[in-house]
Amino acid sequence: MESNRVLIAGAGPVGLVAANTLADAGVPVVVFEAEPRLPENLRASTFHPPTLDMLAKFDAARRLMEMGLLAPRLQYRDRAGWAVEFDFGVIADLTDHPFRVQCEQYKLNGVLAERLATFAHARIEFSSPVVDVGQDANSVSVTVDGPDGRRVIRGNWLIGADGGRSRVREALGIELEGFTWPERFLVASTPFEFADVIPNLCDVSYFADPEEWFFLLRVPGLWRAMFPTRAEEAEADILSDDVIERRLQRVWPKRERYEVRHRTLYSVHQRVAESYRKGRAFLAGDAAHLNNPLGGMGMNGGIHDAVNLAEKLVRVARGEASASELDRYERQRRPIALEYVNTITIANKRSLEARDPEEQRTWRETLTRSANDPALAREYLIRVSMLASLRKAAAIE
Ligand SMILES: Cc1cc2nc3c(=O)[nH]c(=O)nc-3n(C[C@H](O)[C@H](O)[C@H](O)COP(=O)(O)OP(=O)(O)OC[C@H]3O[C@@H](n4cnc5c(N)ncnc54)[C@H](O)[C@@H]3O)c2cc1C
């Protein structure tokens, strides 16, 4: 197996899921992480049902359920009082986890890194950014700027899971095609208990509004509120106490100021790499695709990439499949990023921000009809939970 060594750039959720899948099968793996320790920044916090099914084999779904909270329902509302709800119970026959788990993604990374450390044939090298990639017909190499200087490490395959600004993607000369929205998104977290004041509020609630849509996601001890910002607003203003306060007061007006524990402003893209493979190197997760967060599909889709690719690498390492099997990875996963995740997340954004009253009415009527009809609700949840995307990918030869 030593000659089958897989190199992975990036110890995010995608790199670590791939590494655990490979290590479980006895394939040697080295993960290079640029940071001195696992980053603990607040990013994705939603795990969809099929992602939890995949993480169950690492016992990570159970750990996430312990550390996070279960959201069995999903809600759309507006400021005037319209609300519809979808209950994941209608897809309970298709998944072992008929709910979303709300938990910060860095907690998953901790669980996966801890598990990886139990394998003699797997390791994470911290403070080790990959700065270059080379390859020939028989091997691939990465140049790493490690704590002891620059080194070249050789392996059989490379997975670039080094995030949206992927150095691996750049070194391979692969374009990230698509566009960036003019507005950035603000996330503000507060311990204020919105569920005490907003009637029947679900843990995952999207609020449509032609002036300023927002969504509320609960994680343990906090609500995360996400808002679009205007392109002309300055970063310092957006992140200032007063402007965040004004936005939160529009969610629920109250006399006291809001306590804000975290604030993040980030650019939002709809981009997909022109190719997911170059020779012995592959791209997965944010290195391969970026989308807006309306639907919580970025990290989930990346984990689905990681499982798809790592399982193929395992079959090739064991001699159960020829190397041409690896071409199926791009054939199966790239159309999902382009036609499924991109389409759904763009449609979600357009629906929440729609200004045209006719467009708003059509969206509300469609959702209300779906929520009230068990067959339509099931179809809807199969799509938004990403089960449909996995079925679609599996059907591609
Ligand atoms: C504020 C915010 C909110 C988000 N909310 C959601 C959400 O609700 N739902 C959702 O599904 N997604 C969400 N996302 C997106 C989600 O966080 C990403 O899709 C997810 O982190 C992708 O995982 P990844 O492993 O591909 O990349 P990352 O998590 O970015 O991990 C990449 C890793 O590679 C390391 N690295 C970078 N360069 C190098 C290098 N040259 N060499 C070695 N290591 C390197 C980085 O330090 C990092 O540890 C959000 C993102 C942001 C920024």
Side-chain angles (χ1 to χ4, degrees):
M1 279 287 193
E2 193 49 41
S3 61
N4 284 314
R5 180 157 76 170
V6 177
L7 311 176
I8 298 179
V14 174
L16 291 172
V17 164
N20 273 276
T21 307
L22 292 159
D24 270 346
V27 178
V29 57
V30 189
V31 183
F32 301 98
E33 168 55 48
E35 298 294 327
R37 63 190 71 82
L38 290 179
E40 289 204 355
N41 44 8
L42 210 59
R43 298 181 63 182
S45 56
T46 290
F47 293 85
H48 287 306
T51 310
L52 294 164
D53 292 344
M54 291 174 189
L55 295 173
K57 64 174 173 290
F58 308 133
D59 200 28
R62 183 185 64 79
R63 299 279 300 277
L64 286 174
M65 286 157 65
E66 277 171 10
M67 293 184 289
L69 47 91
L70 270 54
R73 290 172 303 141
L74 163 71
Q75 190 171 63
Y76 296 89
R77 317 175 60 119
D78 66 15
R79 294 184 196 261
W82 167 81
V84 294
E85 250 174 58
F86 291 89
D87 188 325
F88 285 94
V90 301
I91 56 167
D93 57 324
L94 302 176
T95 168
D96 292 335
H97 304 87
F99 40 78
R100 282 177 164 197
V101 168
Q102 294 296 120
C103 182
E104 299 85 346
Q105 75 175 50
Y106 71 81
K107 294 185 178 163
L108 170 69
N109 295 351
V111 169
L112 294 173
E114 189 185 292
R115 188 175 183 278
L116 200 64
T118 63
F119 294 96
H121 55 279
R123 67 176 189 276
I124 304 177
E125 296 193 6
F126 287 100
S127 302
S128 300
V130 168
V131 294
D132 209 357
V133 177
Q135 56 181 314
D136 57 31
N138 302 314
S139 69
V140 62
S141 66
V142 289
T143 306
V144 171
D145 252 346
D148 304 321
R150 197 160 266 213
R151 291 178 304 139
V152 175
I153 301 100
R154 214 159 271 286
N156 210 21
W157 306 103
L158 167 66
I159 302 177
D162 50 345
R165 298 201 174 104
S166 174
R167 173 63 195 136
V168 170
R169 186 183 66 228
E170 188 186 29
L172 295 172
I174 298 175
E175 284 294 318
L176 192 63
E177 297 169 338
F179 67 92
T180 299
W181 295 99
E183 70 269 41
R184 289 165 294 174
F185 285 11
L186 167 73
V187 188
S189 305
T190 173
F192 178 72
E193 184 44 279
F194 285 112
D196 284 348
V197 293
I198 302 178
N200 305 317
L201 183 67
C202 287
D203 292 345
V204 177
S205 293
Y206 297 90
F207 288 72
D209 187 81
E211 295 303 319
E212 186 179 78
W213 59 266
F214 61 94
F215 69 76
L216 294 177
L217 290 185
R218 197 206 281 270
V219 290
L222 291 174
W223 280 95
R224 302 180 74 188
M226 179 174 283
F227 308 90
T229 65
R230 292 184 305 282
E232 66 279 10
E233 278 183 283
E235 176 164 347
D237 289 340
I238 297 169
L239 292 171
S240 69
D241 289 346
D242 284 352
V243 172
I244 291 182
E245 180 66 23
R246 214 157 46 230
R247 287 199 152 99
L248 288 169
Q249 287 287 344
R250 277 175 53 77
V251 174
W252 181 259
K254 64 186 183 89
R255 232 165 349 138
E256 312 77 41
R257 285 181 78 88
Y258 278 88
E259 178 186 342
V260 175
R261 295 267 177 87
H262 308 275
R263 57 193 79 191
T264 317
L265 178 67
Y266 65 101
S267 303
V268 189
H269 314 272
Q270 304 286 162
R271 293 181 181 273
V272 178
E274 61 179 333
S275 136
Y276 278 20
R277 177 179 185 183
K278 194 157 193 182
R280 295 181 164 273
F282 300 86
L283 299 177
D286 274 17
H289 47 78
L290 294 170
N291 57 266
N292 82 58
L294 295 170
M297 295 187 165
M299 175 192 62
N300 285 274
I303 291 175
H304 302 176
D305 291 345
V307 170
N308 181 304
L309 175 58
E311 286 182 351
K312 287 180 171 51
L313 288 168
V314 166
R315 283 199 294 282
V316 171
R318 287 179 169 163
E320 294 165 5
S322 69
S324 65
E325 164 78 356
L326 299 171
D327 287 330
R328 278 181 76 213
Y329 165 64
E330 173 172 323
R331 284 207 302 277
Q332 291 182 320
R333 294 299 309 167
R334 192 167 173 273
I336 297 303
L338 273 174
E339 295 156 23
Y340 184 96
V341 175
N342 240 1
T343 309
I344 292 182
T345 57
I346 291 175
N348 285 346
K349 181 172 180 296
R350 297 245 187 257
S351 306
L352 290 177
E353 71 191 8
R355 293 227 156 112
D356 173 23
E358 189 50 41
E359 205 181 318
Q360 286 177 23
R361 194 166 41 247
T362 307
W363 176 68
R364 266 166 243 213
E365 282 171 5
T366 309
L367 272 185
T368 305
R369 207 172 32 251
S370 298
N372 293 333
D373 176 325
L376 291 177
R378 180 176 164 89
E379 197 183 304
Y380 184 79
L381 286 173
I382 288 174
R383 210 152 49 88
V384 300
S385 68
M386 304 184 80
L387 280 161
S389 74
L390 290 160
R391 285 181 183 168
K392 190 171 168 177
I396 298 172
E397 267 313 308

